[in-house]
Amino acid sequence: IVTTATKPGTMAGFFARPYDLKEKAIKDRLSIAKPTVFLGVPLVWEKIADQIRSLGAQASAVRRQVAGVAKGLALEMAMRSQLGGN
């Protein structure tokens, strides 16, 4: 289930089709929906994580290093925001 805030005070809901996970079409659905909230069962998250790991394994060493730095910064920001920071 993907929810997108289309205008202030309004939302649109999108649902994936059952075959989207098998055909790896979730990316296409998300690019159309541009979600602000994304809900999924654990299998959906596992499939997304597997695809990200697969892409990471194919990346060059420089890309992996840049991605590692970016993930570290994102984690730091997420931790600060959860602790009431900015």
Side-chain angles (χ1 to χ4, degrees), residues 8-68:
T10 63
M11 295 175 80
F14 295 83
F15 294 87
R17 296 183 178 121
Y19 57 81
D20 283 342
L21 279 179
K22 292 179 185 143
E23 296 183 10
K24 298 184 179 174
I26 294 291
K27 181 183 91 125
D28 299 331
R29 301 274 177 245
L30 293 176
S31 66
I32 291 169
K34 296 181 176 56
T36 50
V37 175
F38 179 71
L39 303 173
V41 297
L43 178 63
V44 171
W45 293 107
E46 290 168 6
K47 294 282 187 173
I48 291 171
D50 289 343
Q51 186 66 27
I52 291 170
R53 284 186 203 105
S54 169
L55 292 172
Q58 298 170 8
S60 68
V62 173
R63 282 184 179 235
R64 282 195 301 267
Q65 188 172 8
V66 169

